[in-house]
């Protein structure tokens, strides 16, 4: 058999994508990077732009959105320095454009012979007591020695005065700084550098110093708050760093980067949580928070400093990515020829909290309700429903009016009360809905009185993590009617929904009305809601028999018939001849078989 990958075919497919990325929780902005580099940009950030840290209007001295970044350029020789970009609150967008402050950089490199004469990196601003803004950063001298340093920003947030007590700590750099209950929590990464051997004596891990004096921390005890290992797949067994902290619902969350092979070239972000800023627990979820880009992407190498803030019920993450618009010889080689740029990714706040609670686990990808699946028919496919109103009667009864449209023996029934909204909700489904091939539900309904029907899908554990609703009016009475509920306009997210809620006679107040329902099907296999365009002939003369997940047999085909198998978005996957076709190499999902200019849809 000839197996090949091909170009998209000419005929039309309808392809609806699920909202959750299959490889990470945070979804990257399609037009990344949002902060780029190049000769047309200001010299101080023409070579690299990274370590973004945001101040919201509530934190910023002049009530603007401020984005502090580390820029790299030749001014005239190479230096890393700190600058600020801004946006007005009335026209704010996390994606920009961000405007350049004309007097950048706001924290420049130091004079010859000083601790920061060469580079300033790792932006960590914090609003402290009385609204004073302090700024922590990593300082590097001409010998390459790194130290933790700080500065006080002016009342405009655009000028700075470096601490007279700098450097605050040797051989480390800043991660983040938090002011809470009169204390400053200053986080940094440390591998316990040994100046005698010029080597690190331990893995790179995250520490904090707690002090009431933001300008003097060197004599404070260090507390290790996040060690290596224990992350998903032990991806962080060699190093963790880059702690960036935000607060949601009275809980602190830390985004950190990690690696199982490099001291400072991480490929993945994960998260931890704490209620006291000292004791941190890594989220127990294998589903990735954010991964580096694919080969050839701008962020295909290392990723650092996931700076998260909430805006309009969405979490946005600025992050640094290392890469080049090319395929390097080895993208796992630390700092292969490339540059740092800044990108952004986002996820709804509710999805993040759902992920923290264990949602979006990888095994769910193999537990989905696929197109064409019957969810309940009260015969061989049953589903338990519960009343929200004990006065409303729900039971499974004999079909009140068997006909050609619904000849089945049994159906569900409710008898209404005077309440306007009476919910009938299902038990949580074992699987989640996969919306990659469509988002239509059909249900047969029989009623003696017209009214509205609401069809809802919810997250199986808690509706706060996701709920969507489609409403339809039923005017035909005393006859089984196929009702269709199309969720495509609501952009449902695959793997999020696994529960059904039904409202019959919604808004009605009449008691003792009988409503019957049957045959709830997800994406029924019919041309009107299927994937074929109207001018494509259906393959009525062929029938597919699936032999487990290994092969399909096609009645009506001969050994000489040529077949092609396509993905639902039109990509040629297999071709060959014969009526028995090996599909063992296909992933679980929906596919299209083409034979003799006719098309059949089947599931693997």
């Amino acid at each position: 058999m000839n197996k090949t990958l091909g170009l998209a075919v000419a005929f039309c497919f309808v392809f609806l994508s699920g909202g959750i990325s299959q490889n990470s929780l945070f979804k990257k902005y399609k037009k990344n990077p949002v902060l780029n580099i190049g000769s047309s940009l200001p010299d101080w950030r023409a070579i690299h732009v990274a370590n973004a840290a945001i101040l919201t209007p509530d934190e910023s001295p002049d009530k603007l959105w401020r984005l502090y970044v580390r820029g790299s350029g030749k001014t005239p020789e190479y230096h890393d320095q700190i600058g600020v970009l801004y946006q007005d609150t009335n026209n704010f967008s996390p994606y920009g454009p961000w405007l350049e402050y004309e007097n950048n950089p706001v924290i420049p490199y130091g004079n010859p012979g000083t601790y920061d004469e060469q580079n300033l990196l790792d932006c960590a601003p914090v609003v402290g007591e009385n609204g004073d803004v302090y700024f922590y950063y990593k300082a590097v001298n001409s010998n390459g020695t790194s130290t933790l340093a700080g500065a006080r920003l002016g009342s405009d947030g655009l000028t700075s005065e470096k601490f007279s007590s700098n450097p605050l700590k040797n051989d480390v750099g800043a991660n983040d700084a938090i002011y809470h209950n009169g204390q400053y929590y200053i986080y940094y990464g440390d591998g316990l550098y040994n100046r005698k051997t010029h080597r690190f004596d331990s893995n790179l891990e995250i520490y904090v110093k707690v002090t009431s004096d933001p300008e003097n921390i060197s004599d404070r005890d260090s507390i290790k708050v996040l060690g290596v290992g224990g992350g998903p797949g032990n991806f962080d067994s060699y190093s963790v760093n880059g702690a960036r902290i935000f607060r949601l619902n009275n809980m602190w969350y830390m985004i950190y980067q990690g690696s199982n092979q490099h001291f400072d070239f991480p490929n993945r972000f994960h998260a931890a949580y704490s209620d006291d800023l000292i004791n941190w627990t890594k989220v127990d979820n294998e589903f990735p928070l954010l991964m580096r880009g694919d080969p050839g992407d701008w962020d295909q190498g290392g990723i650092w400093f996931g700076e998260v803030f909430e805006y309009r019920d969405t979490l946005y993450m600025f992050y640094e990515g290392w890469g080049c618009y090319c395929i390097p010889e080895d993208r796992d080689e630390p700092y292969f020829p490339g540059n740092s740029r800044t990108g952004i990714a986002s996820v709804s706040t509710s999805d993040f909290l759902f992920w923290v609670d264990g949602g979006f686990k990888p095994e769910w990808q193999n537990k989905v309700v696929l197109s064409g699946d019957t969810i309940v028919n009260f015969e061989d496919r049953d589903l338990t429903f519960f009343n929200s109103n004990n006065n409303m009667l729900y039971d499974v009864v004999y079909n009140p009016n068997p006909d050609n449209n619904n000849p089945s023996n049994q159906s569900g029934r409710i008898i209404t009360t005077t309440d306007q909204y009476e919910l009938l909700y299902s038990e949580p489904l074992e699987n989640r809905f996969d919306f990659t091939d469509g988002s239509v539900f059909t249900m047969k309904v029989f009623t003696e009185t017209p009214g509205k029907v609401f069809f809802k899908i919810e997250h199986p554990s808690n509706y706060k993590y996701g709920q969507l609703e489609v409403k339809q009016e039923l005017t035909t009475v005393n006859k089984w009617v196929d009702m269709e509920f199309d969720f495509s306009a609501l952009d449902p997210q695959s793997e999020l929904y696994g529960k059904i809620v039904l409202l019959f006679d919604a808004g009605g107040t009449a008691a003792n009305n009988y409503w019957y329902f049957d045959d709830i099907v997800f994406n029924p296999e019919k041309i009107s809601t299927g994937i074929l365009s109207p001018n494509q002939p259906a393959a009525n003369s062929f029938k597919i028999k699936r032999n487990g997940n290994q092969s399909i047999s096609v009645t009506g085909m001969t050994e000489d018939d040529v077949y092609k198998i396509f993905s639902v978005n039109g990509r040629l996957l297999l071709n060959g001849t014969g009526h028995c076709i090996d599909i063992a190499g296909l992933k679980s999902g929906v596919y299209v078989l083409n034979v003799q200019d006719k098309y059949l849809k089947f599931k693997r």
Side-chain angles (χ1 to χ4, degrees), residues 275-345:
D275 59 5
D276 62 3
L277 290 168
I278 298 294
N279 299 287
W280 292 87
T281 301
K282 294 179 180 179
V283 172
D284 182 15
N285 197 324
E286 296 288 328
F287 196 89
L289 186 78
L290 188 71
M291 304 289 289
R292 67 176 178 177
D294 294 330
D297 288 349
W298 68 275
D299 58 350
Q300 63 182 309
I303 53 175
W304 299 266
F305 278 76
E307 169 79 344
V308 171
F309 69 99
E310 185 180 28
Y311 180 68
R312 295 182 177 176
D313 299 322
T314 298
L315 297 179
Y316 294 90
M317 178 196 293
F318 287 100
Y319 70 99
E320 173 188 357
W322 182 275
C324 62
Y325 294 106
C326 61
I327 303 295
E329 291 185 9
D330 181 6
R331 72 184 186 124
D332 290 320
E333 177 189 353
Y335 299 100
F336 59 80
N339 303 84
S340 281
R341 299 169 175 85
T342 298
I344 193 169

Side-chain angles (χ1 to χ4, degrees), residues 19-27 231-233 235 268-271 283-291 347 351-352 354-356 358-365 494-495:
I20 293 293
S21 167
Q22 293 302 306
N23 62 1
S24 67
L25 179 70
F26 274 81
K27 291 179 285 186
F235 86 98
R268 181 172 180 170
F269 288 124
H270 196 57
V283 172
D284 182 15
N285 197 324
E286 296 288 328
F287 196 89
L289 186 78
L290 188 71
M291 304 289 289
V347 67
D351 282 353
F352 174 79
F354 174 40
W355 176 82
V356 170
F360 304 121
K361 291 187 175 180
E363 57 264 30
W364 289 6
Q365 298 178 28
S494 290
E495 303 172 5

Side-chain angles (χ1 to χ4, degrees), residues 289-594:
L289 186 78
L290 188 71
M291 304 289 289
R292 67 176 178 177
D294 294 330
D297 288 349
W298 68 275
D299 58 350
Q300 63 182 309
I303 53 175
W304 299 266
F305 278 76
E307 169 79 344
V308 171
F309 69 99
E310 185 180 28
Y311 180 68
R312 295 182 177 176
D313 299 322
T314 298
L315 297 179
Y316 294 90
M317 178 196 293
F318 287 100
Y319 70 99
E320 173 188 357
W322 182 275
C324 62
Y325 294 106
C326 61
I327 303 295
E329 291 185 9
D330 181 6
R331 72 184 186 124
D332 290 320
E333 177 189 353
Y335 299 100
F336 59 80
N339 303 84
S340 281
R341 299 169 175 85
T342 298
I344 193 169
S346 64
V347 67
S348 70
T349 301
S350 60
D351 282 353
F352 174 79
L353 294 174
F354 174 40
W355 176 82
V356 170
D357 285 345
F360 304 121
K361 291 187 175 180
E363 57 264 30
W364 289 6
Q365 298 178 28
N366 298 319
K367 283 188 169 184
V368 294
V369 180
L370 294 172
S371 291
D373 282 356
T374 297
I375 301 168
V376 60
N377 60 12
F378 300 108
E379 310 285 343
D380 59 333
R381 297 297 299 272
D382 201 3
L383 185 65
T384 302
F385 285 92
F386 304 92
N387 292 349
S388 66
N389 181 347
N390 291 329
N391 295 321
M392 180 184 72
L393 176 65
Y394 162 70
D395 54 2
V396 178
V397 299
Y398 286 112
N399 185 341
N401 186 42
D403 58 16
N404 291 334
N405 192 28
N406 186 17
S408 66
N409 292 321
Q410 297 186 117
S411 66
R413 179 187 69 173
I414 70 163
I415 303 176
T416 64
T417 70
T418 56
D419 289 349
Q420 284 187 302
Y421 298 100
E422 299 164 315
L423 301 179
L424 191 65
Y425 59 95
S426 77
E427 62 182 336
L429 277 68
E430 178 184 358
N431 303 336
R432 309 295 184 266
F433 296 112
D434 178 5
F435 295 108
T436 56
D437 186 44
S439 47
V440 173
F441 295 82
T442 59
M443 177 173 64
K444 297 182 187 300
V445 181
F446 179 95
T447 181
E448 298 172 348
T449 57
K452 295 178 180 178
V453 179
F454 292 3
F455 194 109
K456 298 180 67 176
I457 52 176
E458 293 184 354
H459 177 267
S461 298
N462 195 322
Y463 71 88
K464 73 178 183 179
Y465 294 132
Q467 58 174 334
L468 296 175
E469 177 181 88
V470 174
K471 308 173 185 179
Q472 296 286 0
E473 185 87 26
L474 182 60
T475 57
T476 302
V477 298
N478 297 317
K479 180 180 179 181
W480 280 105
V481 176
D482 284 310
M483 300 194 72
E484 185 174 282
F485 303 89
D486 188 348
F487 286 81
S488 59
L490 303 178
D491 191 24
Q493 299 175 345
S494 290
E495 303 172 5
L496 181 58
Y497 302 97
K499 186 176 180 180
I500 291 174
V501 179
L502 303 173
L503 289 81
F504 295 96
D505 195 29
T509 57
N512 299 318
N513 286 334
Y514 287 62
W515 287 73
Y516 302 84
F517 66 102
D518 202 358
D519 293 349
I520 299 177
V521 181
F522 180 47
N523 287 334
E525 296 192 40
K526 56 183 182 180
I527 299 302
S528 62
T529 56
I531 62 173
L532 302 180
S533 64
N535 61 351
Q536 292 174 322
N540 297 326
S541 58
F542 300 99
K543 293 188 181 299
I544 294 178
K545 178 183 178 182
R546 198 174 75 179
N547 307 312
N549 288 325
Q550 302 302 310
S551 65
I552 57 174
S553 300
V554 185
T555 303
M557 281 184 63
T558 70
E559 290 300 317
D560 295 327
D561 280 332
V562 176
Y563 67 82
K564 296 178 181 179
I565 292 180
F566 298 94
S567 67
V568 292
N569 62 347
R571 191 158 59 99
L572 177 63
L573 302 176
L574 303 175
N575 59 16
T577 58
H579 71 281
C580 187
I581 303 171
D582 182 3
I583 61 170
L586 299 177
K587 297 180 180 179
S588 297
V590 179
Y591 299 90
V592 176
L593 171 68
N594 167 231

